[in-house]
PDB file of all heavy atoms in Angstrom:
ATOM      1  N   PHE A   1      -5.215  -7.243  -3.106  1.00  0.00           N
ATOM      2  CA  PHE A   1      -6.096  -6.149  -3.493  1.00  0.00           C
ATOM      3  C   PHE A   1      -7.001  -6.565  -4.651  1.00  0.00           C
ATOM      4  O   PHE A   1      -6.527  -7.127  -5.646  1.00  0.00           O
ATOM      5  CB  PHE A   1      -5.294  -4.922  -3.963  1.00  0.00           C
ATOM      6  CG  PHE A   1      -4.388  -4.327  -2.926  1.00  0.00           C
ATOM      7  CD1 PHE A   1      -3.032  -4.147  -3.197  1.00  0.00           C
ATOM      8  CD2 PHE A   1      -4.869  -3.919  -1.691  1.00  0.00           C
ATOM      9  CE1 PHE A   1      -2.186  -3.590  -2.265  1.00  0.00           C
ATOM     10  CE2 PHE A   1      -4.028  -3.360  -0.746  1.00  0.00           C
ATOM     11  CZ  PHE A   1      -2.686  -3.195  -1.024  1.00  0.00           C
ATOM     12  N   GLU A   2      -8.265  -6.295  -4.507  1.00  0.00           N
ATOM     13  CA  GLU A   2      -9.178  -6.283  -5.638  1.00  0.00           C
ATOM     14  C   GLU A   2      -9.481  -4.834  -6.003  1.00  0.00           C
ATOM     15  O   GLU A   2      -9.340  -4.420  -7.137  1.00  0.00           O
ATOM     16  CB  GLU A   2     -10.454  -7.055  -5.295  1.00  0.00           C
ATOM     17  CG  GLU A   2     -10.207  -8.543  -5.084  1.00  0.00           C
ATOM     18  CD  GLU A   2     -11.459  -9.294  -4.666  1.00  0.00           C
ATOM     19  OE1 GLU A   2     -12.547  -8.668  -4.575  1.00  0.00           O
ATOM     20  OE2 GLU A   2     -11.366 -10.518  -4.423  1.00  0.00           O
ATOM     21  N   HIS A   3      -9.843  -4.046  -4.980  1.00  0.00           N
ATOM     22  CA  HIS A   3     -10.217  -2.647  -5.224  1.00  0.00           C
ATOM     23  C   HIS A   3      -9.774  -1.730  -4.089  1.00  0.00           C
ATOM     24  O   HIS A   3     -10.210  -0.578  -4.036  1.00  0.00           O
ATOM     25  CB  HIS A   3     -11.736  -2.554  -5.376  1.00  0.00           C
ATOM     26  CG  HIS A   3     -12.491  -2.901  -4.112  1.00  0.00           C
ATOM     27  ND1 HIS A   3     -12.373  -4.121  -3.505  1.00  0.00           N
ATOM     28  CD2 HIS A   3     -13.347  -2.185  -3.350  1.00  0.00           C
ATOM     29  CE1 HIS A   3     -13.141  -4.146  -2.421  1.00  0.00           C
ATOM     30  NE2 HIS A   3     -13.731  -2.983  -2.304  1.00  0.00           N
ATOM     31  N   THR A   4      -8.912  -2.197  -3.203  1.00  0.00           N
ATOM     32  CA  THR A   4      -8.610  -1.430  -1.990  1.00  0.00           C
ATOM     33  C   THR A   4      -7.220  -0.799  -1.972  1.00  0.00           C
ATOM     34  O   THR A   4      -6.802  -0.278  -0.938  1.00  0.00           O
ATOM     35  CB  THR A   4      -8.794  -2.317  -0.744  1.00  0.00           C
ATOM     36  OG1 THR A   4      -8.102  -3.554  -0.925  1.00  0.00           O
ATOM     37  CG2 THR A   4     -10.268  -2.598  -0.508  1.00  0.00           C
ATOM     38  N   GLN A   5      -6.490  -0.839  -3.073  1.00  0.00           N
ATOM     39  CA  GLN A   5      -5.294  -0.004  -3.230  1.00  0.00           C
ATOM     40  C   GLN A   5      -5.708   1.235  -4.005  1.00  0.00           C
ATOM     41  O   GLN A   5      -6.400   1.134  -5.027  1.00  0.00           O
ATOM     42  CB  GLN A   5      -4.194  -0.737  -3.978  1.00  0.00           C
ATOM     43  CG  GLN A   5      -2.991   0.112  -4.362  1.00  0.00           C
ATOM     44  CD  GLN A   5      -2.136   0.521  -3.175  1.00  0.00           C
ATOM     45  OE1 GLN A   5      -1.667  -0.313  -2.422  1.00  0.00           O
ATOM     46  NE2 GLN A   5      -1.933   1.821  -3.002  1.00  0.00           N
ATOM     47  N   GLN A   6      -5.320   2.383  -3.528  1.00  0.00           N
ATOM     48  CA  GLN A   6      -5.677   3.630  -4.215  1.00  0.00           C
ATOM     49  C   GLN A   6      -4.756   3.844  -5.418  1.00  0.00           C
ATOM     50  O   GLN A   6      -3.542   3.671  -5.316  1.00  0.00           O
ATOM     51  CB  GLN A   6      -5.560   4.814  -3.253  1.00  0.00           C
ATOM     52  CG  GLN A   6      -6.526   4.746  -2.087  1.00  0.00           C
ATOM     53  CD  GLN A   6      -6.338   5.891  -1.104  1.00  0.00           C
ATOM     54  OE1 GLN A   6      -5.765   6.928  -1.442  1.00  0.00           O
ATOM     55  NE2 GLN A   6      -6.815   5.708   0.121  1.00  0.00           N
ATOM     56  N   TYR A   7      -5.374   4.229  -6.559  1.00  0.00           N
ATOM     57  CA  TYR A   7      -4.621   4.507  -7.784  1.00  0.00           C
ATOM     58  C   TYR A   7      -4.950   5.912  -8.268  1.00  0.00           C
ATOM     59  O   TYR A   7      -6.127   6.242  -8.480  1.00  0.00           O
ATOM     60  CB  TYR A   7      -4.977   3.496  -8.876  1.00  0.00           C
ATOM     61  CG  TYR A   7      -4.563   2.084  -8.559  1.00  0.00           C
ATOM     62  CD1 TYR A   7      -5.521   1.112  -8.260  1.00  0.00           C
ATOM     63  CD2 TYR A   7      -3.221   1.712  -8.543  1.00  0.00           C
ATOM     64  CE1 TYR A   7      -5.151  -0.184  -7.967  1.00  0.00           C
ATOM     65  CE2 TYR A   7      -2.842   0.416  -8.246  1.00  0.00           C
ATOM     66  CZ  TYR A   7      -3.811  -0.527  -7.952  1.00  0.00           C
ATOM     67  OH  TYR A   7      -3.433  -1.812  -7.652  1.00  0.00           O
ATOM     68  N   ALA A   8      -3.924   6.695  -8.483  1.00  0.00           N
ATOM     69  CA  ALA A   8      -4.136   8.041  -9.027  1.00  0.00           C
ATOM     70  C   ALA A   8      -4.720   7.960 -10.432  1.00  0.00           C
ATOM     71  O   ALA A   8      -5.519   8.813 -10.832  1.00  0.00           O
ATOM     72  CB  ALA A   8      -2.817   8.813  -9.039  1.00  0.00           C
ATOM     73  N   SER A   9      -4.344   6.923 -11.184  1.00  0.00           N
ATOM     74  CA  SER A   9      -4.820   6.790 -12.558  1.00  0.00           C
ATOM     75  C   SER A   9      -6.261   6.298 -12.645  1.00  0.00           C
ATOM     76  O   SER A   9      -6.917   6.476 -13.668  1.00  0.00           O
ATOM     77  CB  SER A   9      -3.912   5.811 -13.319  1.00  0.00           C
ATOM     78  OG  SER A   9      -3.897   4.549 -12.674  1.00  0.00           O
ATOM     79  N   ASN A  10      -6.746   5.692 -11.581  1.00  0.00           N
ATOM     80  CA  ASN A  10      -8.114   5.148 -11.552  1.00  0.00           C
ATOM     81  C   ASN A  10      -8.725   5.401 -10.172  1.00  0.00           C
ATOM     82  O   ASN A  10      -8.899   4.476  -9.367  1.00  0.00           O
ATOM     83  CB  ASN A  10      -8.093   3.650 -11.863  1.00  0.00           C
ATOM     84  CG  ASN A  10      -7.707   3.356 -13.294  1.00  0.00           C
ATOM     85  OD1 ASN A  10      -8.548   3.369 -14.185  1.00  0.00           O
ATOM     86  ND2 ASN A  10      -6.420   3.106 -13.509  1.00  0.00           N
ATOM     87  N   PRO A  11      -9.071   6.646  -9.876  1.00  0.00           N
ATOM     88  CA  PRO A  11      -9.467   7.009  -8.512  1.00  0.00           C
ATOM     89  C   PRO A  11     -10.840   6.515  -8.081  1.00  0.00           C
ATOM     90  O   PRO A  11     -11.149   6.581  -6.890  1.00  0.00           O
ATOM     91  CB  PRO A  11      -9.428   8.539  -8.547  1.00  0.00           C
ATOM     92  CG  PRO A  11      -9.657   8.897  -9.974  1.00  0.00           C
ATOM     93  CD  PRO A  11      -8.997   7.819 -10.772  1.00  0.00           C
ATOM     94  N   LEU A  12     -11.660   6.027  -8.998  1.00  0.00           N
ATOM     95  CA  LEU A  12     -13.004   5.596  -8.617  1.00  0.00           C
ATOM     96  C   LEU A  12     -13.004   4.320  -7.784  1.00  0.00           C
ATOM     97  O   LEU A  12     -13.915   4.088  -6.989  1.00  0.00           O
ATOM     98  CB  LEU A  12     -13.862   5.359  -9.868  1.00  0.00           C
ATOM     99  CG  LEU A  12     -14.371   6.565 -10.649  1.00  0.00           C
ATOM    100  CD1 LEU A  12     -15.222   6.085 -11.809  1.00  0.00           C
ATOM    101  CD2 LEU A  12     -15.169   7.485  -9.740  1.00  0.00           C
ATOM    102  N   MET A  13     -12.025   3.487  -7.966  1.00  0.00           N
ATOM    103  CA  MET A  13     -12.101   2.120  -7.453  1.00  0.00           C
ATOM    104  C   MET A  13     -12.078   2.027  -5.934  1.00  0.00           C
ATOM    105  O   MET A  13     -12.864   1.296  -5.327  1.00  0.00           O
ATOM    106  CB  MET A  13     -10.953   1.297  -8.029  1.00  0.00           C
ATOM    107  CG  MET A  13     -11.021   1.100  -9.529  1.00  0.00           C
ATOM    108  SD  MET A  13      -9.577   0.186 -10.115  1.00  0.00           S
ATOM    109  CE  MET A  13      -9.973   0.016 -11.853  1.00  0.00           C
ATOM    110  N   ALA A  14     -11.170   2.711  -5.288  1.00  0.00           N
ATOM    111  CA  ALA A  14     -10.923   2.487  -3.869  1.00  0.00           C
ATOM    112  C   ALA A  14     -11.991   3.146  -3.002  1.00  0.00           C
ATOM    113  O   ALA A  14     -12.294   4.325  -3.176  1.00  0.00           O
ATOM    114  CB  ALA A  14      -9.545   3.027  -3.491  1.00  0.00           C
ATOM    115  N   PRO A  15     -12.576   2.418  -2.051  1.00  0.00           N
ATOM    116  CA  PRO A  15     -13.612   2.999  -1.191  1.00  0.00           C
ATOM    117  C   PRO A  15     -13.018   3.937  -0.146  1.00  0.00           C
ATOM    118  O   PRO A  15     -11.967   3.626   0.437  1.00  0.00           O
ATOM    119  CB  PRO A  15     -14.243   1.775  -0.536  1.00  0.00           C
ATOM    120  CG  PRO A  15     -13.170   0.747  -0.552  1.00  0.00           C
ATOM    121  CD  PRO A  15     -12.364   0.992  -1.783  1.00  0.00           C
ATOM    122  N   PRO A  16     -13.663   5.054   0.124  1.00  0.00           N
ATOM    123  CA  PRO A  16     -13.172   5.971   1.162  1.00  0.00           C
ATOM    124  C   PRO A  16     -13.120   5.275   2.522  1.00  0.00           C
ATOM    125  O   PRO A  16     -14.063   4.587   2.914  1.00  0.00           O
ATOM    126  CB  PRO A  16     -14.215   7.095   1.159  1.00  0.00           C
ATOM    127  CG  PRO A  16     -14.891   7.004  -0.167  1.00  0.00           C
ATOM    128  CD  PRO A  16     -14.877   5.556  -0.542  1.00  0.00           C
ATOM    129  N   GLY A  17     -12.009   5.425   3.203  1.00  0.00           N
ATOM    130  CA  GLY A  17     -11.862   4.844   4.530  1.00  0.00           C
ATOM    131  C   GLY A  17     -11.540   3.370   4.534  1.00  0.00           C
ATOM    132  O   GLY A  17     -11.261   2.799   5.596  1.00  0.00           O
ATOM    133  N   GLY A  18     -11.566   2.736   3.375  1.00  0.00           N
ATOM    134  CA  GLY A  18     -11.317   1.303   3.311  1.00  0.00           C
ATOM    135  C   GLY A  18     -10.295   0.938   2.279  1.00  0.00           C
ATOM    136  O   GLY A  18     -10.415  -0.101   1.616  1.00  0.00           O
ATOM    137  N   SER A  19      -9.267   1.763   2.135  1.00  0.00           N
ATOM    138  CA  SER A  19      -8.266   1.507   1.106  1.00  0.00           C
ATOM    139  C   SER A  19      -6.907   2.004   1.557  1.00  0.00           C
ATOM    140  O   SER A  19      -6.790   2.791   2.501  1.00  0.00           O
ATOM    141  CB  SER A  19      -8.670   2.177  -0.212  1.00  0.00           C
ATOM    142  OG  SER A  19      -8.942   3.549  -0.015  1.00  0.00           O
ATOM    143  N   VAL A  20      -5.881   1.541   0.869  1.00  0.00           N
ATOM    144  CA  VAL A  20      -4.500   1.836   1.208  1.00  0.00           C
ATOM    145  C   VAL A  20      -3.985   2.946   0.304  1.00  0.00           C
ATOM    146  O   VAL A  20      -4.017   2.828  -0.923  1.00  0.00           O
ATOM    147  CB  VAL A  20      -3.628   0.578   1.057  1.00  0.00           C
ATOM    148  CG1 VAL A  20      -2.157   0.904   1.286  1.00  0.00           C
ATOM    149  CG2 VAL A  20      -4.100  -0.511   2.012  1.00  0.00           C
ATOM    150  N   SER A  21      -3.509   4.014   0.908  1.00  0.00           N
ATOM    151  CA  SER A  21      -2.997   5.142   0.135  1.00  0.00           C
ATOM    152  C   SER A  21      -1.562   4.882  -0.301  1.00  0.00           C
ATOM    153  O   SER A  21      -0.871   4.000   0.226  1.00  0.00           O
ATOM    154  CB  SER A  21      -3.051   6.420   0.960  1.00  0.00           C
ATOM    155  OG  SER A  21      -2.099   6.370   2.014  1.00  0.00           O
ATOM    156  N   ALA A  22      -1.110   5.687  -1.243  1.00  0.00           N
ATOM    157  CA  ALA A  22       0.277   5.583  -1.697  1.00  0.00           C
ATOM    158  C   ALA A  22       1.242   5.859  -0.553  1.00  0.00           C
ATOM    159  O   ALA A  22       2.261   5.172  -0.403  1.00  0.00           O
ATOM    160  CB  ALA A  22       0.517   6.555  -2.853  1.00  0.00           C
ATOM    161  N   ALA A  23       0.912   6.842   0.278  1.00  0.00           N
ATOM    162  CA  ALA A  23       1.789   7.183   1.402  1.00  0.00           C
ATOM    163  C   ALA A  23       1.878   6.022   2.395  1.00  0.00           C
ATOM    164  O   ALA A  23       2.960   5.713   2.916  1.00  0.00           O
ATOM    165  CB  ALA A  23       1.279   8.438   2.095  1.00  0.00           C
ATOM    166  N   GLU A  24       0.753   5.369   2.665  1.00  0.00           N
ATOM    167  CA  GLU A  24       0.764   4.223   3.574  1.00  0.00           C
ATOM    168  C   GLU A  24       1.586   3.080   2.995  1.00  0.00           C
ATOM    169  O   GLU A  24       2.318   2.392   3.726  1.00  0.00           O
ATOM    170  CB  GLU A  24      -0.661   3.749   3.840  1.00  0.00           C
ATOM    171  CG  GLU A  24      -1.478   4.674   4.724  1.00  0.00           C
ATOM    172  CD  GLU A  24      -2.908   4.196   4.863  1.00  0.00           C
ATOM    173  OE1 GLU A  24      -3.517   3.810   3.832  1.00  0.00           O
ATOM    174  OE2 GLU A  24      -3.423   4.201   5.991  1.00  0.00           O
ATOM    175  N   ALA A  25       1.459   2.870   1.698  1.00  0.00           N
ATOM    176  CA  ALA A  25       2.228   1.801   1.055  1.00  0.00           C
ATOM    177  C   ALA A  25       3.726   2.050   1.209  1.00  0.00           C
ATOM    178  O   ALA A  25       4.482   1.148   1.596  1.00  0.00           O
ATOM    179  CB  ALA A  25       1.847   1.697  -0.416  1.00  0.00           C
ATOM    180  N   ARG A  26       4.147   3.267   0.924  1.00  0.00           N
ATOM    181  CA  ARG A  26       5.574   3.587   1.035  1.00  0.00           C
ATOM    182  C   ARG A  26       6.061   3.421   2.472  1.00  0.00           C
ATOM    183  O   ARG A  26       7.162   2.900   2.719  1.00  0.00           O
ATOM    184  CB  ARG A  26       5.826   5.019   0.562  1.00  0.00           C
ATOM    185  CG  ARG A  26       5.613   5.245  -0.932  1.00  0.00           C
ATOM    186  CD  ARG A  26       6.111   6.613  -1.345  1.00  0.00           C
ATOM    187  NE  ARG A  26       5.793   6.910  -2.731  1.00  0.00           N
ATOM    188  CZ  ARG A  26       4.728   7.601  -3.120  1.00  0.00           C
ATOM    189  NH1 ARG A  26       3.887   8.095  -2.215  1.00  0.00           N
ATOM    190  NH2 ARG A  26       4.500   7.818  -4.400  1.00  0.00           N
ATOM    191  N   GLU A  27       5.250   3.863   3.414  1.00  0.00           N
ATOM    192  CA  GLU A  27       5.664   3.789   4.812  1.00  0.00           C
ATOM    193  C   GLU A  27       5.825   2.342   5.266  1.00  0.00           C
ATOM    194  O   GLU A  27       6.783   1.997   5.959  1.00  0.00           O
ATOM    195  CB  GLU A  27       4.650   4.510   5.693  1.00  0.00           C
ATOM    196  CG  GLU A  27       5.058   4.579   7.161  1.00  0.00           C
ATOM    197  CD  GLU A  27       4.146   5.456   8.004  1.00  0.00           C
ATOM    198  OE1 GLU A  27       3.369   6.253   7.420  1.00  0.00           O
ATOM    199  OE2 GLU A  27       4.199   5.347   9.246  1.00  0.00           O
ATOM    200  N   LEU A  28       4.888   1.482   4.883  1.00  0.00           N
ATOM    201  CA  LEU A  28       4.990   0.090   5.311  1.00  0.00           C
ATOM    202  C   LEU A  28       6.161  -0.607   4.634  1.00  0.00           C
ATOM    203  O   LEU A  28       6.862  -1.409   5.266  1.00  0.00           O
ATOM    204  CB  LEU A  28       3.696  -0.661   5.013  1.00  0.00           C
ATOM    205  CG  LEU A  28       3.660  -2.066   5.634  1.00  0.00           C
ATOM    206  CD1 LEU A  28       3.563  -1.976   7.152  1.00  0.00           C
ATOM    207  CD2 LEU A  28       2.519  -2.893   5.075  1.00  0.00           C
ATOM    208  N   VAL A  29       6.391  -0.323   3.372  1.00  0.00           N
ATOM    209  CA  VAL A  29       7.521  -0.930   2.660  1.00  0.00           C
ATOM    210  C   VAL A  29       8.832  -0.587   3.365  1.00  0.00           C
ATOM    211  O   VAL A  29       9.687  -1.459   3.582  1.00  0.00           O
ATOM    212  CB  VAL A  29       7.552  -0.455   1.194  1.00  0.00           C
ATOM    213  CG1 VAL A  29       8.890  -0.777   0.541  1.00  0.00           C
ATOM    214  CG2 VAL A  29       6.411  -1.098   0.409  1.00  0.00           C
ATOM    215  N   GLU A  30       8.995   0.669   3.721  1.00  0.00           N
ATOM    216  CA  GLU A  30      10.226   1.090   4.388  1.00  0.00           C
ATOM    217  C   GLU A  30      10.338   0.463   5.769  1.00  0.00           C
ATOM    218  O   GLU A  30      11.419   0.050   6.196  1.00  0.00           O
ATOM    219  CB  GLU A  30      10.262   2.619   4.492  1.00  0.00           C
ATOM    220  CG  GLU A  30      11.554   3.186   5.054  1.00  0.00           C
ATOM    221  CD  GLU A  30      12.777   2.844   4.214  1.00  0.00           C
ATOM    222  OE1 GLU A  30      12.609   2.557   3.002  1.00  0.00           O
ATOM    223  OE2 GLU A  30      13.903   2.863   4.756  1.00  0.00           O
ATOM    224  N   TYR A  31       9.225   0.390   6.475  1.00  0.00           N
ATOM    225  CA  TYR A  31       9.217  -0.220   7.809  1.00  0.00           C
ATOM    226  C   TYR A  31       9.576  -1.697   7.715  1.00  0.00           C
ATOM    227  O   TYR A  31      10.387  -2.202   8.496  1.00  0.00           O
ATOM    228  CB  TYR A  31       7.836  -0.038   8.431  1.00  0.00           C
ATOM    229  CG  TYR A  31       7.747  -0.461   9.880  1.00  0.00           C
ATOM    230  CD1 TYR A  31       8.139   0.404  10.895  1.00  0.00           C
ATOM    231  CD2 TYR A  31       7.269  -1.714  10.229  1.00  0.00           C
ATOM    232  CE1 TYR A  31       8.058   0.022  12.228  1.00  0.00           C
ATOM    233  CE2 TYR A  31       7.188  -2.107  11.553  1.00  0.00           C
ATOM    234  CZ  TYR A  31       7.578  -1.234  12.548  1.00  0.00           C
ATOM    235  OH  TYR A  31       7.504  -1.608  13.869  1.00  0.00           O
ATOM    236  N   ALA A  32       8.977  -2.398   6.762  1.00  0.00           N
ATOM    237  CA  ALA A  32       9.216  -3.834   6.617  1.00  0.00           C
ATOM    238  C   ALA A  32      10.662  -4.133   6.227  1.00  0.00           C
ATOM    239  O   ALA A  32      11.203  -5.181   6.604  1.00  0.00           O
ATOM    240  CB  ALA A  32       8.258  -4.415   5.581  1.00  0.00           C
ATOM    241  N   ARG A  33      11.274  -3.230   5.479  1.00  0.00           N
ATOM    242  CA  ARG A  33      12.656  -3.439   5.059  1.00  0.00           C
ATOM    243  C   ARG A  33      13.573  -3.618   6.259  1.00  0.00           C
ATOM    244  O   ARG A  33      14.507  -4.438   6.230  1.00  0.00           O
ATOM    245  CB  ARG A  33      13.114  -2.241   4.212  1.00  0.00           C
ATOM    246  CG  ARG A  33      14.536  -2.363   3.663  1.00  0.00           C
ATOM    247  CD  ARG A  33      14.969  -1.069   2.992  1.00  0.00           C
ATOM    248  NE  ARG A  33      14.960   0.053   3.920  1.00  0.00           N
ATOM    249  CZ  ARG A  33      15.925   0.282   4.824  1.00  0.00           C
ATOM    250  NH1 ARG A  33      16.969  -0.527   4.913  1.00  0.00           N
ATOM    251  NH2 ARG A  33      15.845   1.329   5.624  1.00  0.00           N
ATOM    252  N   LEU A  34      13.311  -2.884   7.335  1.00  0.00           N
ATOM    253  CA  LEU A  34      14.123  -3.005   8.540  1.00  0.00           C
ATOM    254  C   LEU A  34      14.062  -4.404   9.123  1.00  0.00           C
ATOM    255  O   LEU A  34      15.006  -4.865   9.764  1.00  0.00           O
ATOM    256  CB  LEU A  34      13.653  -1.996   9.596  1.00  0.00           C
ATOM    257  CG  LEU A  34      13.716  -0.512   9.212  1.00  0.00           C
ATOM    258  CD1 LEU A  34      13.025   0.331  10.278  1.00  0.00           C
ATOM    259  CD2 LEU A  34      15.162  -0.076   9.024  1.00  0.00           C
ATOM    260  N   TYR A  35      12.941  -5.081   8.888  1.00  0.00           N
ATOM    261  CA  TYR A  35      12.714  -6.419   9.445  1.00  0.00           C
ATOM    262  C   TYR A  35      12.952  -7.523   8.412  1.00  0.00           C
ATOM    263  O   TYR A  35      12.510  -8.646   8.602  1.00  0.00           O
ATOM    264  CB  TYR A  35      11.288  -6.503   9.994  1.00  0.00           C
ATOM    265  CG  TYR A  35      11.079  -5.648  11.222  1.00  0.00           C
ATOM    266  CD1 TYR A  35      10.688  -4.315  11.101  1.00  0.00           C
ATOM    267  CD2 TYR A  35      11.294  -6.153  12.497  1.00  0.00           C
ATOM    268  CE1 TYR A  35      10.505  -3.519  12.220  1.00  0.00           C
ATOM    269  CE2 TYR A  35      11.122  -5.368  13.623  1.00  0.00           C
ATOM    270  CZ  TYR A  35      10.721  -4.047  13.474  1.00  0.00           C
ATOM    271  OH  TYR A  35      10.541  -3.258  14.602  1.00  0.00           O
ATOM    272  N   HIS A  36      13.619  -7.181   7.321  1.00  0.00           N
ATOM    273  CA  HIS A  36      13.989  -8.153   6.281  1.00  0.00           C
ATOM    274  C   HIS A  36      12.762  -8.791   5.639  1.00  0.00           C
ATOM    275  O   HIS A  36      12.753  -9.986   5.314  1.00  0.00           O
ATOM    276  CB  HIS A  36      14.925  -9.220   6.856  1.00  0.00           C
ATOM    277  CG  HIS A  36      16.178  -8.645   7.447  1.00  0.00           C
ATOM    278  ND1 HIS A  36      17.289  -8.346   6.692  1.00  0.00           N
ATOM    279  CD2 HIS A  36      16.468  -8.259   8.724  1.00  0.00           C
ATOM    280  CE1 HIS A  36      18.219  -7.822   7.474  1.00  0.00           C
ATOM    281  NE2 HIS A  36      17.747  -7.752   8.706  1.00  0.00           N
ATOM    282  N   ILE A  37      11.732  -7.987   5.441  1.00  0.00           N
ATOM    283  CA  ILE A  37      10.507  -8.444   4.799  1.00  0.00           C
ATOM    284  C   ILE A  37      10.242  -7.606   3.555  1.00  0.00           C
ATOM    285  O   ILE A  37      10.267  -6.376   3.610  1.00  0.00           O
ATOM    286  CB  ILE A  37       9.306  -8.353   5.761  1.00  0.00           C
ATOM    287  CG1 ILE A  37       9.428  -9.413   6.858  1.00  0.00           C
ATOM    288  CG2 ILE A  37       7.983  -8.522   5.018  1.00  0.00           C
ATOM    289  CD1 ILE A  37       8.296  -9.410   7.864  1.00  0.00           C
ATOM    290  N   ASP A  38       9.993  -8.293   2.442  1.00  0.00           N
ATOM    291  CA  ASP A  38       9.550  -7.627   1.221  1.00  0.00           C
ATOM    292  C   ASP A  38       8.028  -7.575   1.223  1.00  0.00           C
ATOM    293  O   ASP A  38       7.368  -8.592   1.455  1.00  0.00           O
ATOM    294  CB  ASP A  38      10.018  -8.396  -0.023  1.00  0.00           C
ATOM    295  CG  ASP A  38      11.471  -8.136  -0.351  1.00  0.00           C
ATOM    296  OD1 ASP A  38      11.920  -6.996  -0.183  1.00  0.00           O
ATOM    297  OD2 ASP A  38      12.154  -9.097  -0.767  1.00  0.00           O
ATOM    298  N   VAL A  39       7.476  -6.397   0.951  1.00  0.00           N
ATOM    299  CA  VAL A  39       6.032  -6.247   0.821  1.00  0.00           C
ATOM    300  C   VAL A  39       5.684  -6.380  -0.654  1.00  0.00           C
ATOM    301  O   VAL A  39       6.146  -5.595  -1.482  1.00  0.00           O
ATOM    302  CB  VAL A  39       5.544  -4.900   1.374  1.00  0.00           C
ATOM    303  CG1 VAL A  39       4.017  -4.795   1.254  1.00  0.00           C
ATOM    304  CG2 VAL A  39       5.970  -4.741   2.832  1.00  0.00           C
ATOM    305  N   VAL A  40       4.888  -7.383  -0.984  1.00  0.00           N
ATOM    306  CA  VAL A  40       4.541  -7.693  -2.369  1.00  0.00           C
ATOM    307  C   VAL A  40       3.063  -7.386  -2.587  1.00  0.00           C
ATOM    308  O   VAL A  40       2.205  -7.999  -1.952  1.00  0.00           O
ATOM    309  CB  VAL A  40       4.817  -9.172  -2.688  1.00  0.00           C
ATOM    310  CG1 VAL A  40       4.384  -9.503  -4.113  1.00  0.00           C
ATOM    311  CG2 VAL A  40       6.290  -9.490  -2.484  1.00  0.00           C
ATOM    312  N   PRO A  41       2.746  -6.455  -3.472  1.00  0.00           N
ATOM    313  CA  PRO A  41       1.336  -6.187  -3.737  1.00  0.00           C
ATOM    314  C   PRO A  41       0.744  -7.240  -4.666  1.00  0.00           C
ATOM    315  O   PRO A  41       1.377  -7.650  -5.641  1.00  0.00           O
ATOM    316  CB  PRO A  41       1.371  -4.823  -4.419  1.00  0.00           C
ATOM    317  CG  PRO A  41       2.670  -4.821  -5.161  1.00  0.00           C
ATOM    318  CD  PRO A  41       3.631  -5.612  -4.292  1.00  0.00           C
TER     319      PRO A  41
END
């Protein structure tokens, strides 16, 4: 990520439609855990 992770503390950075939300991050982390993969930002 340079500017495509969404941050509640800095909402200007992430472009609409082109960024990863907090909910998406949590969902992928949980999904990857099943496959023995750590998601590292």
Side-chain angles (χ1 to χ4, degrees):
F1 299 126
E2 294 177 2
H3 65 301
T4 49
Q5 172 71 56
Q6 296 177 20
Y7 295 109
S9 58
N10 291 275
L12 286 182
M13 295 177 177
S19 53
V20 175
S21 70
E24 288 176 315
R26 292 190 186 96
E27 185 172 344
L28 189 69
V29 166
E30 185 61 23
Y31 188 83
R33 182 187 60 78
L34 300 172
Y35 291 88
H36 302 276
I37 289 180
D38 281 322
V39 181
V40 177

